[in-house]
Amino acid sequence: MRVVVGIPSYNNEETISFVVKQAAKGLKRYFGGGIVVNADGGSSDGTRDAVLGTDVPDGVEVHSFVYRWPIPGKGSAMKELMEFALGRDADAIVFVDSDLRSITPEWIYRFARPIEEGYDFVAPLYIRHKWDGTITNNIAYPMTASLYGKNVRQPIGGDFGVSRKLMEAYLEDEEVWKTHVARFGVDIFLTTTAIARGFKITQTALGMKIHDPKDPAASLGPMFNQVVGTLFMLMKKYEDIWKHVRTIEPVPVFGELEKGEPEPVKVTLELLEIRAKELFAQHEPVLRRALSEETLKGVVSALKTFEFDDRLWSHVLYDGAVAYRNGILTEAEPLVPLYFAKTADFVKRTMDMSTLEAEKLIEERAKVFLEEKDYLLERW
């Protein structure tokens, strides 16, 4: 089995050498060797030197290149990493993020082994702190599960295993790589495409995810826009698939998921609430056209109390998807203030909960989205 490990990067000199070393050990230990390759976005620090200077076992090659695709972003790096892997006749590519502090050599095995067993797409399943991954927990997970009917818990986890057949499918349409898929939209594109096109999917148990998390109100606006915009774009593309889905099916898990409490992630509650109000005022004219009257009323009241229930939240995203389809929204950005408000609600609600307790609320949320799917179908 020929395995390539692909690492997209941009200014990650502090963390990337560790990732390369763990990946190389994994390739040597479990697959007798292989290639670790880094696609860099033109870092101004020593990222590429750190990659090429990493000491790796015999039988592992290390490469680093600056990707040429003209849109700067994670997706562009991953596109060229897949092209590199296919050029080397790889059976599988394992993508890992350049800021991972919890990666072990086993991770490579856990992503690549299921592909040897006949799976095409391996999504990560890790324990993340209850406030890490707010775009996942509030949007990508409940939307993917309820729309496409597969309970993939981390659809935008960033670390994936992909078969050769699926790499070819991702690359067949050049146009898609000119959208937000070239940026942070790439993860939701990889997951949705694998599910909607009927590829064989599994999840792999990885324990803790420890990386450089981001405080949502301070830095997640552009990422939200790219992920949610891509999700909405794919809803148009795959409407004939998701319209008929009525249940959420479990997705198998490779390996055993351990229990534990991850290191805390900082979320500035006050900033979320302030930004939600400011940005709502800014985007209110378009939101008045994008949201149904009932949803808008609910949102205005939620911005006073910051109590934002899952049913209302599902209607916000469903209205947003319809408005995107109809050209009322050209970007998902006007929904950012509502995402901040929903995140504030979740932070308050889970303040005294363990990550495991908070997890139950997130699973419930996916069920609420499924129950409210008729609302989406009526408006679509």
Side-chain angles (χ1 to χ4, degrees):
M1 166 103 160
R2 282 190 294 281
V3 182
V4 167
V5 175
I7 310 172
S9 66
Y10 183 63
N11 292 341
N12 303 104
E13 76 173 328
E14 296 298 313
T15 50
I16 198 164
S17 182
F18 176 72
V19 177
V20 172
K21 196 171 188 66
Q22 298 301 306
K25 282 182 180 169
L27 285 172
K28 177 73 175 173
R29 187 178 304 167
Y30 299 106
F31 300 101
I35 302 174
V36 178
V37 56
N38 158 238
D40 185 69
S43 294
S44 55
D45 66 358
T47 295
R48 292 186 62 217
D49 294 338
V51 169
L52 296 169
T54 305
D55 188 27
V56 299
D58 291 343
V60 177
E61 290 175 37
V62 177
H63 299 265
S64 172
F65 61 86
V66 175
Y67 60 79
R68 294 196 182 86
W69 193 245
I71 301 167
K74 188 184 174 193
S76 297
M78 290 168 89
K79 171 186 189 285
E80 294 196 10
L81 289 167
M82 289 190 279
E83 289 165 352
F84 176 96
L86 290 172
R88 294 302 172 103
D89 211 21
D91 299 303
I93 189 166
V94 173
F95 288 113
V96 287
D97 277 343
S98 51
D99 65 350
L100 282 167
R101 297 197 300 278
S102 53
I103 183 174
T104 64
E106 285 68 43
W107 279 36
I108 307 308
Y109 174 77
R110 290 185 171 202
F111 278 116
R113 178 72 187 121
I115 289 168
E116 250 184 331
E117 291 176 0
Y119 286 98
D120 294 299
F121 181 74
V122 186
L125 187 60
Y126 7 60
I127 301 164
R128 297 175 74 171
H129 185 264
K130 61 188 175 184
W131 297 338
D132 184 17
T134 53
I135 295 177
T136 297
N137 296 343
N138 287 315
I139 303 154
Y141 166 62
M143 286 289 274
T144 301
S146 59
L147 286 170
Y148 300 98
K150 299 281 186 209
N151 202 22
V152 177
R153 181 61 187 86
Q154 296 288 339
I156 56 170
D159 313 301
F160 300 103
V162 178
S163 72
R164 182 192 325 206
K165 192 169 73 173
L166 184 51
M167 281 190 263
E168 288 165 351
Y170 288 146
L171 295 170
E172 70 195 10
D173 176 16
E174 185 98 310
E175 288 307 302
V176 80
W177 296 98
K178 295 173 184 170
T179 67
H180 286 315
V181 169
R183 298 189 166 93
F184 284 124
V186 66
D187 295 345
I188 196 70
F189 163 75
L190 297 180
T191 303
T192 305
T193 305
I195 299 172
R197 293 183 55 176
F199 284 91
K200 217 175 153 196
I201 64 169
T202 187
Q203 304 177 94
T204 195
L206 298 169
M208 301 285 168
K209 175 163 190 172
I210 303 167
H211 64 133
D212 296 340
K214 301 184 172 53
D215 187 346
S219 54
L220 288 178
M223 187 177 184
F224 172 95
N225 189 35
Q226 293 160 28
V227 172
V228 179
T230 303
L231 196 146
F232 288 168
M233 171 187 83
L234 293 167
M235 282 176 75
K236 278 198 284 195
K237 182 170 177 160
Y238 292 120
E239 64 177 306
D240 293 341
I241 308 284
W242 60 255
K243 275 182 171 173
H244 306 293
V245 171
R246 283 277 173 249
T247 53
I248 299 175
E249 295 170 14
V251 175
V253 177
F254 178 76
E256 288 298 309
L257 198 58
E258 55 204 72
K259 298 274 183 274
E261 188 58 39
E263 59 181 55
V265 168
K266 199 171 141 314
V267 173
T268 319
L269 188 58
E270 297 71 31
L271 189 59
L272 279 171
E273 295 184 350
I274 293 164
R275 298 289 288 142
K277 285 181 167 154
E278 284 175 358
L279 289 171
F280 179 74
Q282 194 182 316
H283 292 296
E284 191 173 358
V286 70
L287 288 170
R288 286 192 172 277
R289 293 170 51 225
L291 303 176
S292 75
E293 212 174 315
E294 187 201 358
T295 307
L296 186 73
K297 218 164 79 180
V299 162
V300 169
S301 135
L303 283 165
K304 292 193 181 88
T305 60
F306 288 97
E307 285 178 19
F308 207 131
D309 67 68
D310 288 340
R311 182 171 174 272
L312 175 63
W313 177 235
S314 72
H315 290 197
V316 164
L317 290 174
Y318 289 159
D319 286 356
V322 170
Y324 190 90
R325 191 197 74 156
N326 295 338
I328 293 167
L329 288 181
T330 50
E331 293 281 356
E333 193 186 355
L335 299 172
V336 168
L338 311 183
Y339 151 64
F340 286 164
K342 177 61 183 166
T343 302
D345 164 83
F346 182 69
V347 168
K348 287 207 283 207
R349 222 174 267 229
T350 54
M351 197 66 81
D352 300 319
M353 290 187 185
S354 69
T355 283
L356 208 61
E357 289 166 324
E359 186 60 30
K360 292 196 176 66
L361 293 190
I362 297 162
E363 283 166 15
E364 277 308 305
R365 181 175 299 149
K367 291 179 190 145
V368 172
F369 274 57
L370 185 69
E371 283 159 15
E372 295 302 318
K373 200 163 174 178
D374 283 335
Y375 175 87
L376 169 64
L377 290 167
E378 270 162 41
R379 304 207 61 225
W380 193 271

